Structures are given as structure tokens and as C-alpha cells.
């Protein structure tokens, strides 16, 4: 078997009866031009092991290998896909390893030696959970060199949102604190089989060598959750849930009590996290 012998993806899906399951977030990409574009958005592949979550019938997997990935480790929990993926393994000897497992229960950091990129058309039902897990990796910088991921456009907008925009919230702070996050391109729903209800977007996240400003990750998570818990209230009200002297906390962070969460920069959230940490341990 060579790559040229691999059957078209539509035939693969029919032959292996891979009817998409909604419960597994299955929306397959069958256009190899599009999967090639996603693979190229990840950056250089030749020196990297690529971890792919949810290869399904293998459209993106094929593109990653065709674009020169040194090795692909693909984690898929739907056993029905394994035979189709075995054909790709045969076409690219020694370069594709398929792991039959739930990505949420897999220690991905332990999978690869050497430089790693993560590339995936994620199952939408667990996309945010996976992203947050990767962003909360300790220690920082993380064990992977980049994340290139397909999300629903609305989630992508929340990842790249700037202060003052309606999508700005916990996800933007967490993502942009530790990575440079940018949208690569939108993908029309018609590109998927079956089509999802909404447009999708590919987002590329490049870990910063050090976070944008110093803060304890847990303290940052706490102040961000409190502030956005009541996003339209002034922080002198929303931060009360932290159980500290709120005016003193805001003053120590150098902020105005009348500010609202959606207008605070990531650096300002970090200042709040540092003040929170200092007051809590005082
Ligand atoms: C949106 S589809 C993408 C399929 C394929 N990569 C493509 O682009 O055509 C998501 C894939 O993730 C798989 N999946 C869903 N939940 C998973 C989990 N917890 N662990 C691993 N794979 C999962 C699904 O079975 C499906 O193949």
C-alpha cells in the first residue's frame, strides 16, 4: 500500500460504515485540499511528532503525513475508525501510531519524545475542556510547540477576543496569557460531513516562552472567574465573592473600583492575581 493507493475518503466511510455519531462530535472533513491547509497552518512538520485528537476516517491524518510530518500519533476512541486508520498506517510505514483511547484520559505529554505539535479537528463537545487542559499545563513553557485546532467559530472568537469586546472572558485571558493566539481561517459548515449547525474556525496558538505577566495560575483563575461571574458589574461588586477586603485588593492591584471585567487587560488581571495571592497569604 502506498499513499496513492489509499481510497477516497467517501469510499472509506462507506466501506467501514462510519455513519457520524453526534455523541462523539463527529463532523468529518473529506476535502484533502482543506485538510492540507489545516496541516500547513501548524507550521513546519518535518521535525515534529504531531499528536492528533480524533482522526476519525483519517482525512487530516493523511494531510499531516502528506505534508511531511515526521510522525503522527492519533488518539481515537471510536473503534469503528481503526480499520480505516490501519490502511493509512500501511501507506506510511513507521509514521502513524493510532492509540485506541479517550483523549480526555490520555497522558499526552508522555506520548512523544522530541518536539511535538498538536493538530486536530476537535470533537466540539470536548474541545474547550481539552484546550483548557493544554493551557493549564505545568510547568510553563509546555511540552508542546504549538496547538492548531478547529473550534466552532463562536469559541474561536472567545479565544482571540480583545478587552472591550463581547467575546472577551475567561477563555481569552487564559489563552492569551500563555500563548499568542490567532485565527488561521474560517471553515464553512458545508465543508463537513455531516455539516454542523455553525461556521468553524482554525485557531493557531503559539506558547509564549513566559506568560504575558507574572501571576500564580490558580490565583489568576480565581480572580478571573470572580470578575467575569458578574461581567457587567463593577469589580468593586463582582470581586466580593473572593472573600477578601475588596477595596484594599483593588487598590493593591492599582485598579479603579469602577472598572468592569470586560475592560481589564490581561496584565491588569495578573496584577489582581498577585494582589489576591499577597493578601491571602498575609
Ligand atoms: C470533528 S471529528 C474529526 C474527525 C477527523 N479528524 C476529520 O477531520 O475528519 C472528531 C473526532 O474525534 C473523535 N472523538 C470524540 N471524542 C473523543 C475522545 N474523547 N477521545 C478521542 N477521540 C474522540 C470522534 O470519534 C471523531 O472521529
Amino acid at each position: 500500500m502506498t499513499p496513492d493507493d489509499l481510497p477516497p475518503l467517501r469510499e472509506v466511510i462507506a466501506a467501514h460504515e462510519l455513519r457520524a455519531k453526534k455523541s462523539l462530535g463527529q463532523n468529518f472533513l473529506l476535502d484533502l485540499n482543506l485538510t492540507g491547509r489545516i496541516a500547513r497552518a501548524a507550521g513546519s512538520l518535518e521535525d515534529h511528532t504531531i499528536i492528533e485528537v480524533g482522526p476519525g476516517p483519517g482525512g487530516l491524518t493523511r494531510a499531516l503525513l502528506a505534508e511531511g510530518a515526521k510522525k503522527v500519533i492519533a488518539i481515537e476512541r471510536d473503534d469503528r475508525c481503526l480499520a480505516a486508520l490501519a490502511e493509512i498506517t500501511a501507506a506510511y510505514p513507521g509514521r502513524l501510531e493510532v492509540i485506541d483511547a479517550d483523549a480526555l484520559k490520555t497522558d499526552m505529554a508522555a506520548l512523544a519524545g522530541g518536539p511535538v505539535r498538536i493538530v486536530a479537528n476537535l470533537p466540539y463537545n470536548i474541545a474547550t475542556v481539552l484546550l483548557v487542559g493544554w493551557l493549564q499545563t505545568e510547568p510553563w513553557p509546555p511540552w508542546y510547540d504549538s496547538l492548531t485546532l478547529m473550534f466552532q467559530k463562536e469559541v474561536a472568537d472567545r479565544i482571540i477576543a480583545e478587552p472591550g469586546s463581547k467575546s472577551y472572558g475567561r477563555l481569552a485571558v487564559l489563552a492569551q496569557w500563555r500563548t499568542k493566539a490567532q485565527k488561521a481561517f474560517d471553515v464553512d459548515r458545508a465543508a463537513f460531513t455531516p455539516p454542523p449547525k455553525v461556521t468553524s474556525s482554525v485557531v493557531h496558538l503559539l506558547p509564549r516562552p513566559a506568560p504575558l505577566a507574572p501571576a500564580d495560575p490558580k490565583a489568576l483563575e480565581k480572580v478571573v472567574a470572580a470578575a467575569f461571574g458578574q461581567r457587567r458589574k463593577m469589580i468593586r461588586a463582582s470581586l466580593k465573592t473572593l472573600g477578601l477586603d475588596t477595596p484594599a485588593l483593588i487598590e493593591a492591584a492599582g485598579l479603579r473600583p469602577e472598572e468592569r471585567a470586560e475592560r481589564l487587560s490581561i496584565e491588569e488581571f495578573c496584577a489582581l492575581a498577585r494582589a489576591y495571592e499577597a493578601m491571602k497569604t498575609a
Side-chain angles (χ1 to χ4, degrees):
M1 175 83 85
T2 72
D4 289 339
D5 299 328
L6 286 169
L9 284 159
R10 272 187 204 288
E11 282 177 24
V12 170
I13 287 178
H16 298 284
E17 297 183 31
L18 299 178
R19 262 184 313 280
K21 284 191 186 170
K22 208 171 176 187
S23 60
L24 288 173
Q26 291 182 335
N27 300 100
F28 301 133
L29 291 173
L30 309 184
D31 174 354
L32 292 175
N33 287 322
L34 176 59
T35 52
R37 203 170 159 213
I38 299 169
R40 289 190 295 277
S44 64
L45 303 176
E46 291 77 10
D47 301 330
H48 282 81
T49 294
I50 310 301
I51 295 186
E52 184 193 4
V53 172
L60 180 55
T61 319
R62 287 190 195 188
L64 290 163
L65 291 162
E67 292 291 333
K70 187 174 164 198
K71 182 168 185 196
V72 176
I73 300 178
I75 307 165
E76 175 58 64
R77 71 175 285 193
D78 185 353
D79 296 351
R80 298 177 309 156
C81 299
L82 298 180
L85 294 167
E87 292 176 358
I88 307 177
T89 309
Y92 290 94
R95 288 175 59 200
L96 173 62
E97 182 183 340
V98 178
I99 299 184
D100 176 11
D102 181 343
L104 291 173
K105 296 184 185 148
T106 305
D107 179 2
M108 296 185 212
L111 284 180
V116 174
R117 295 190 193 281
I118 300 176
V119 183
N121 172 16
L122 291 175
Y124 288 144
N125 41 355
I126 58 167
T128 314
V129 179
L130 284 168
L131 174 66
V132 168
W134 288 320
L135 292 172
Q136 290 179 332
T137 297
E138 296 296 342
W140 198 267
W143 50 272
Y144 54 82
D145 284 352
S146 63
L147 305 171
T148 306
L149 307 169
M150 179 90 75
F151 294 96
Q152 290 174 304
K153 179 174 179 298
E154 173 269 331
V155 177
D157 288 344
R158 286 199 279 129
I159 295 168
I160 61 168
E162 297 194 350
S165 68
K166 73 172 189 336
S167 302
Y168 187 62
R170 171 181 177 242
L171 205 51
V173 175
L174 181 59
Q176 296 172 41
W177 178 52
R178 286 186 146 176
T179 73
K180 281 187 187 165
Q182 47 182 317
K183 189 190 281 188
F185 51 88
D186 287 336
V187 181
D188 193 273
R189 45 191 291 280
F192 298 85
T193 303
K197 289 205 174 70
V198 293
T199 304
S200 298
S201 306
V202 175
V203 178
H204 185 67
L205 301 103
L206 208 57
R208 298 179 190 277
L212 205 53
D216 172 71
K218 290 206 167 62
L220 182 62
E221 179 67 26
K222 270 227 161 345
V223 298
V224 168
F228 283 110
Q230 296 165 299
R231 60 182 294 137
R232 277 188 195 83
K233 290 204 171 159
M234 295 178 189
I235 53 173
R236 70 177 177 216
S238 59
L239 294 181
K240 277 187 190 155
T241 57
L242 291 172
L244 296 174
D245 177 345
T246 310
L249 172 71
I250 294 172
E251 191 183 338
L255 301 176
R256 292 186 319 114
E258 296 78 23
E259 279 295 4
R260 292 168 211 271
E262 58 196 18
R263 302 210 67 87
L264 293 184
S265 68
I266 293 168
E267 288 87 344
E268 287 172 326
F269 274 114
C270 291
L272 259 182
R274 292 194 300 273
Y276 171 80
E277 192 69 1
M279 281 177 69
K280 217 178 45 143
T281 49

